[in-house]
Amino acid sequence: MMRSFLIAFFLIVHHLAVLASSDYPASAIPEELKKQADAVVRAQEETFNIRSIDAATYTIHRVVTVLNKNGEKHAPLVVGYDPQHKIKSIQCNVYDARGELIKKVKNKEIEDVSAISSFSIYEDNRIKYYIYDAPSYPYTVEYSYELEFDGLLFYPDWNPVDGFGLAVEQATYALVTPPNFPIRYQLQDLSEPTKAVEEGQQWYRWALSHQSAYEKEAYQPALGSLTPRVYLAPTDFYFEGYSGNFSSWKQFGEWIGQLNEGRDQLPESTQQKVKQLIDGLSDTTEMIRVLYEYMQSKTRYVSIQLGIGGYQPFDAATVDRLGYGDCKALSNYMKAILAAADIDSRYTLVHAGAYGDKVLADFPSMQFNHAILGVPLTQDTVWLECTSQTNPFGHLSDFTDARNVLIIEKEGGKLVHTPAYSTQDNQQIRNTTVVLDESGNGQLSTQTQYTGQLYDDIAYITRLSEQEQKQAVNEQVSIPNFRLQSYEYQLAKDRIPVATEKLALQLDRYASVSGKRWFFCPNVMSQVESIPANTETRQHDVLLRYAYTETDTTVFTLPEQVYPEFIPESTEIHSTFGSYYNHYSVEQGKVVYTRTFVQHKGVFPASSYPELVEFYQKVSKADRQQIVLQKST
C-alpha cells in the first residue's frame, strides 16, 4: 500500500516539476504532423490506478501546441468533478512559441461552474476550466490534474485523438490494478498493451505516437468510430451501496432492475384516474396513446444528477406529486401509469443523440446516457420518449432511432434494436400552384407534408413566437425575390407523424422576360443546392444518415397568349445512393412539373464517393433546368 502511495506521489511531483519549464518549442514539431493540423498534442500521459473495486486515482498530464485559431478548441483545461470524482490537484501553465513560460495560471483564475445548471434543479456535477486568451500563435498549454474516484461504475476510456485537426506527437495510457484484478477492454485500431508486474501491481500500457490529424470530410462517420481508442470497463463494480457485474448485458440489466425495484408505485387516486382515462377503450394502442398524452400534460423534464440519482430514477409517487423528473424518472413514471392499466412495458437505456457513438454490442458496460420506454405489442413495440411534452406518440426521431438499446426485463438486460425510418416513412410531399401574370410575377400557393424524421425539422416552428415563426419560414424558403403573405401549420401526432405546411408567397419577377421570351425554372422550392466537394482523395467511408423521399407536383398557370417554346426532356437518374425522376407536361394554358428524389441510408466504401458527387451534380443540374415561353404578340 505504501509503495502504491509513493508511486502516485512521485507521478504528481514529476508532473508539477515538468510544469515549471517547457521542453516543447513549436519549432520542434515534426513537419509531417503540422499537415492538416490546427493543434498538436506534444505529450499526453494518463494513468488510471485502481486500488480496489470502488476506489481509484486518475492522473492526466497534457501538453498541446495551438497552431492557429481553429486549434483553440483543443487547448482549454476542462475537468469535471462531483462527490464521487474529487479533484486532488490541478495546475496549468502557458508557453510562447519558443517554449518559454508566459503565464503561470493561479487557482483563482480557474473558473468553477455548474456543469448542467441551465436545465437542472438537482445537481452536484461541476466543472473547473481555464481558457487562455491568445494574442498570437503558436502557443502551448500544459496542464496536470488528479482525480480521486469513489465508486467505480465505469473506467475512463482512452481516446487520444478527440477532435478533427488534432495531431498527436506522443500519448500514453497506463492502467494499474492490484494483482489478479479482473478488467475488460476492447481495442479500436490499437495493438494489445504491454503488460508488466511492478512493485506488486499489474500494469497495462498503451502508446500512440506521430498520429496525423484527421481531416473532416463530407458524409463521414463519427470521428469516435475512426480514431485509435481503448474502451475499458469493470467486471465487478460497487457504486453508492449497490454491487453489480458487467460480464453480460443480462447481469448489467439485473443491476438496473435492482436500482428500480419498488419505485413504480402510484397513489391510489392516480391509479383511479388512469382507469377513468381508458374506460371504454378496447384497443391497446389507443390506451397507450391516451395515457402517454396524459403523462405529457402533467410532467416536465428536469435533470437529476445526484450520486446514484444519475442512474436511479425518482420513485413514481414523487414524480406524480411534483410533476417533474429526468429521463429515468419520467420513463419509470410512464411505466407505472401503464402498469395501472395492466399494460406491460420495459424501462430502456439508450445512447441518445443524432451523431453519438454506437453502443458496442459485444462489450457490456455503461454506454448509455438516456432512458426511454418500450411497450411490447403483438406485432411490434411502441417506443415512448417520455421527456418531451410535445413529442408525437410512438415517435423516436433521430435522437434514439436505429440503434442498440438495453431493455430491462425481469430476467435482466437484453440488447435490442430500435426501428429505423425508411424512405416511405420520411417523406416530403409538396403540391404547388404558381399563377404567372403578364410581367412574369407569380402568385404561389403550396402545401407540403413532412412525415417521419422530416416532421421534426418543421414541428419546432409551431413552438416559436409569431415573430420567430415568420423568421423561420423566411429562412427556409430559398426562392429569390419572394414576399411571405401567409403561413399555416398543422401537426398530426401519429407514430409516423405528419407536419402540414401551407404557404402563400408573392414572387417578384420569377420569370425572366427578354423580348418575347420568358425563362423560368419550374422547380420552385426543392432544388438540391448543396453538392459534396469533389476531392481527389477520400479517406473514410461515406455515411448517409437518413433515408427520405421528396415528391413534388407544381402547376404553372400561364397568361393568355403565352405558350411554351422549349420544354426540357424528362430526366431519370439511378445511383447506389438514390434515384431521381422529373417530368414536364403541357396542358391548356398550363405547365405541370413533377419530381421525385429518393436518398438511401447506409454506409458506403470510400471508393464510392466520386459516384456520390456525380449523383448530386446530375440532380442539381436537372433541378435547375429552365422552361422557355414565348408571347405570341
Side-chain angles (χ1 to χ4, degrees):
M1 193 70 178
M2 179 58 70
R3 288 178 176 177
S4 298
F5 173 80
L6 290 174
I7 291 173
F9 178 77
F10 172 77
L11 288 172
I12 295 168
V13 172
H14 171 70
H15 288 161
L16 296 181
V18 169
L19 287 169
S21 63
S22 174
D23 295 323
Y24 301 103
S27 59
I29 299 174
E31 287 300 317
E32 63 270 17
L33 287 184
K34 294 180 182 179
K35 295 177 181 178
Q36 303 173 356
D38 301 313
V40 180
V41 173
R42 314 298 298 281
Q44 182 161 313
E45 301 150 8
E46 301 177 48
T47 302
F48 189 60
N49 191 339
I50 301 172
R51 300 193 304 276
S52 66
I53 193 173
D54 63 346
T57 302
Y58 185 38
T59 59
I60 289 183
H61 170 234
R62 177 179 168 101
V63 184
V64 58
T65 298
V66 178
L67 301 177
N68 53 50
K69 186 172 182 60
N70 290 334
E72 287 184 346
K73 59 182 175 290
H74 301 296
L77 163 67
V78 180
V79 186
Y81 71 97
D82 56 41
Q84 290 75 43
H85 308 89
K86 298 177 181 178
I87 299 176
K88 305 299 288 184
S89 64
I90 188 168
Q91 192 114 351
C92 180
N93 285 341
V94 184
Y95 306 89
D96 64 14
R98 294 173 296 178
E100 296 183 359
L101 180 67
I102 55 176
K103 184 173 183 61
K104 186 177 180 63
V105 180
K106 300 176 182 178
N107 283 336
K108 65 180 181 181
E109 295 178 286
I110 299 176
E111 300 286 343
D112 190 334
V113 299
S114 168
I116 49 178
S117 60
S118 62
F119 61 92
S120 178
I121 60 174
Y122 294 108
E123 62 182 61
D124 51 20
N125 297 59
R126 299 190 65 81
I127 290 175
K128 284 183 178 286
Y129 75 92
Y130 174 77
I131 300 175
Y132 177 63
D133 187 10
S136 61
Y137 307 96
Y139 66 91
T140 297
V141 175
E142 182 174 25
Y143 59 77
S144 180
Y145 63 85
E146 179 187 15
L147 286 172
E148 192 75 23
F149 282 47
D150 181 14
L152 291 178
L153 183 58
F154 64 89
Y155 300 161
D157 293 337
W158 189 46
N159 184 26
V161 187
D162 58 1
F164 291 106
L166 180 68
V168 176
E169 190 170 352
Q170 184 68 38
T172 60
Y173 186 98
L175 177 65
V176 187
T177 74
N180 303 314
F181 190 88
I183 65 162
R184 297 164 50 246
Y185 59 84
Q186 187 169 119
L187 305 177
Q188 179 175 286
D189 198 26
L190 278 172
S191 301
E192 288 290 328
T194 59
K195 301 176 184 179
V197 176
E198 300 175 10
E199 301 293 332
Q201 293 181 299
Q202 179 68 55
W203 286 69
Y204 305 80
R205 291 185 175 92
W206 288 271
L208 181 70
S209 61
H210 295 277
Q211 172 66 57
S212 299
Y214 284 76
E215 186 178 12
K216 199 166 188 176
E217 296 181 317
Y219 299 97
Q220 74 169 44
L223 179 65
S225 67
L226 305 173
T227 57
R229 196 164 183 172
V230 180
Y231 297 93
L232 291 154
T235 300
D236 298 305
F237 61 89
Y238 183 82
F239 188 80
E240 293 280 299
Y242 291 88
S243 298
N245 185 280
F246 273 134
S247 295
S248 68
W249 290 118
K250 179 180 181 298
Q251 288 177 289
F252 177 40
E254 289 175 354
W255 185 73
I256 296 295
Q258 180 185 359
L259 295 185
N260 294 1
E261 187 175 359
R263 308 184 76 82
D264 58 354
Q265 302 303 308
L266 289 174
E268 181 62 30
S269 59
T270 302
Q271 294 184 49
Q272 292 303 317
K273 175 67 174 178
V274 168
K275 290 178 170 58
Q276 292 172 10
L277 287 170
I278 62 172
D279 186 38
L281 297 178
S282 58
D283 182 73
T284 303
T285 301
E286 187 59 25
M287 292 181 190
I288 300 169
R289 177 199 296 273
V290 169
L291 295 177
Y292 175 68
E293 292 176 353
Y294 166 71
M295 182 277 300
Q296 288 181 302
S297 71
K298 67 170 299 181
T299 61
R300 60 188 175 89
Y301 171 78
V302 299
S303 176
I304 309 296
Q305 301 290 337
L306 289 170
I308 195 66
Y311 307 98
Q312 183 181 59
F314 272 16
D315 64 273
T318 298
V319 176
D320 188 73
R321 176 172 55 85
L322 298 177
Y324 58 73
D326 64 4
C327 62
K328 302 177 295 297
L330 295 176
S331 296
N332 180 67
Y333 180 56
M334 186 66 213
K335 186 177 187 298
I337 288 174
L338 292 174
D342 295 323
I343 299 174
D344 190 29
S345 61
R346 304 284 191 271
Y347 183 85
T348 302
L349 298 180
V350 56
H351 188 102
Y355 304 104
D357 291 342
K358 293 181 179 179
V359 169
L360 303 174
D362 57 349
F363 191 65
S365 54
M366 178 52 80
Q367 301 178 50
F368 309 101
N369 61 6
H370 189 53
I372 57 176
L373 195 68
V375 189
L377 300 177
T378 303
Q379 299 297 327
D380 62 357
T381 298
V382 175
W383 296 98
L384 301 178
E385 171 57 66
C386 300
T387 59
S388 170
Q389 296 171 293
T390 59
N391 201 71
F393 164 74
H395 176 53
L396 286 180
S397 80
D398 62 5
F399 193 59
T400 50
D401 77 313
R403 68 197 68 197
N404 288 323
V405 298
L406 186 69
I407 59 172
I408 309 304
E409 300 180 322
K410 293 179 181 178
E411 301 78 16
K414 180 181 177 182
L415 213 61
V416 301
H417 207 71
T418 54
Y421 290 82
S422 67
T423 54
Q424 288 74 37
D425 298 326
N426 297 333
Q427 292 202 54
Q428 173 190 292
I429 305 170
R430 176 173 285 146
N431 289 281
T432 305
T433 62
V434 181
V435 179
L436 295 174
D437 66 16
E438 295 284 345
S439 301
N441 301 317
Q443 182 65 46
L444 180 146
S445 176
T446 185
Q447 176 174 300
T448 309
Q449 289 186 328
Y450 301 88
T451 72
Q453 290 173 313
L454 302 185
Y455 167 96
D456 301 303
D457 297 334
I458 298 299
Y460 83 95
I461 296 177
T462 65
R463 301 189 287 273
L464 303 176
S465 67
E466 182 177 355
Q467 181 178 355
E468 291 171 331
Q469 285 184 3
K470 288 181 180 179
Q471 181 179 348
V473 174
N474 278 287
E475 288 176 352
Q476 73 169 0
V477 176
S478 57
I479 308 171
N481 304 318
F482 79 91
R483 285 175 287 159
L484 177 63
Q485 295 177 319
S486 66
Y487 64 91
E488 179 185 342
Y489 291 95
Q490 297 175 347
L491 303 180
K493 296 185 176 183
D494 298 317
R495 291 177 68 178
I496 301 297
V498 181
T500 301
E501 174 189 70
K502 296 179 181 179
L503 302 178
L505 309 175
Q506 173 65 39
L507 309 182
D508 296 332
R509 302 181 304 279
Y510 185 72
S512 177
V513 180
S514 178
K516 291 186 176 182
R517 286 185 171 82
W518 291 20
F519 305 85
F520 73 91
C521 176
N523 187 344
V524 188
M525 299 188 69
S526 298
Q527 294 185 29
V528 169
E529 298 176 342
S530 178
I531 301 174
N534 193 2
T535 57
E536 293 184 4
T537 59
R538 175 77 184 189
Q539 299 296 319
H540 308 299
D541 288 342
V542 175
L543 172 63
L544 298 185
R545 299 182 184 276
Y546 307 109
Y548 62 89
T549 301
E550 295 177 350
T551 304
D552 286 79
T553 300
T554 307
V555 179
F556 292 87
T557 300
L558 309 180
E560 292 185 6
Q561 299 180 328
V562 173
Y563 60 92
E565 179 182 72
F566 170 75
I567 300 294
E569 294 290 332
S570 297
T571 303
E572 191 167 352
I573 305 168
H574 294 280
S575 166
T576 304
F577 305 98
S579 61
Y580 176 92
Y581 173 78
N582 70 17
H583 178 71
Y584 310 82
S585 63
V586 179
E587 302 173 4
Q588 185 69 32
K590 294 181 179 180
V591 174
V592 179
Y593 169 76
T594 58
R595 171 188 184 270
T596 302
F597 173 73
V598 177
Q599 177 177 287
H600 299 319
K601 174 182 180 178
V603 179
F604 307 88
S607 59
S608 67
Y609 183 73
E611 182 187 347
L612 177 71
V613 175
E614 183 183 19
F615 175 57
Y616 273 97
Q617 286 175 337
K618 288 180 178 179
V619 169
S620 180
K621 181 179 179 181
D623 276 348
R624 291 183 285 108
Q625 287 181 310
Q626 291 202 336
I627 286 177
V628 182
L629 306 177
Q630 190 175 77
K631 196 169 185 179
S632 58
T633 58

